[in-house]
Amino acid sequence: MRDAQTFIYLDFIGIELYAKSKKNPNWSEFQFIGTVIDETKYTLRVKNEDHSKIYIKDQYMFRSWIDQPNGIKKMIEFDGTKIKGNPENRIKLIRKKNRRKLH
């Protein structure tokens, strides 16, 4: 289950994303870019209809919707620099955060 606190630490494969470029003024609004099909340390490969494109994480702001337990969808907006790194390493950070809360 994905929630707002742990969303940026999880794997993004299968998530539909909207993006806004930080550097290109033509991308002033969020645009639907597609569904993530692969993720590396610095990039996201996104498939939209019949083609795929690679987005460099730290050059974009991203937005996605997640389902809440009460059936309502919640919008999450995050900077691409926060998701830089391998997904398996980000998942380990969740465990570290939870251990810190226990003490």
Side-chain angles (χ1 to χ4, degrees):
M1 182 176 144
R2 298 176 185 266
D3 61 355
Q5 290 82 19
T6 60
F7 184 78
I8 63 169
Y9 297 105
L10 299 177
D11 190 8
F12 284 94
I13 295 176
I15 300 294
E16 291 185 351
L17 287 178
Y18 295 79
K20 178 172 84 167
S21 176
K22 292 186 209 176
K23 300 179 188 218
N24 186 351
N26 294 334
W27 277 49
S28 61
E29 298 291 322
F30 280 93
Q31 300 175 10
F32 178 72
I33 58 172
T35 304
V36 178
I37 57 172
D38 190 25
E39 180 179 4
T40 65
K41 188 172 186 176
Y42 298 107
T43 63
L44 293 171
R45 181 180 297 270
V46 178
K47 183 174 177 152
N48 189 355
E49 295 177 10
D50 60 343
H51 64 280
S52 66
K53 186 173 178 182
I54 295 174
Y55 292 89
I56 298 172
K57 292 178 182 179
D58 62 354
Q59 292 182 358
Y60 294 91
M61 291 287 294
F62 294 102
R63 185 182 280 177
S64 184
W65 294 88
I66 60 171
D67 293 324
Q68 296 294 308
N70 56 5
I72 298 173
K73 288 190 173 207
K74 182 175 183 178
M75 181 186 64
I76 302 293
E77 188 174 308
F78 53 94
D79 190 355
T81 56
K82 293 192 183 267
I83 61 169
K84 196 188 276 188
N86 292 327
E88 56 271 10
N89 293 338
R90 289 196 315 261
I91 291 171
K92 290 176 187 176
L93 291 175
I94 294 174
R95 292 186 198 134
K96 286 182 182 179
K97 274 182 106 174
N98 289 341
R99 277 187 264 148
R100 287 181 190 148
K101 287 180 184 178
L102 294 175
H103 299 319

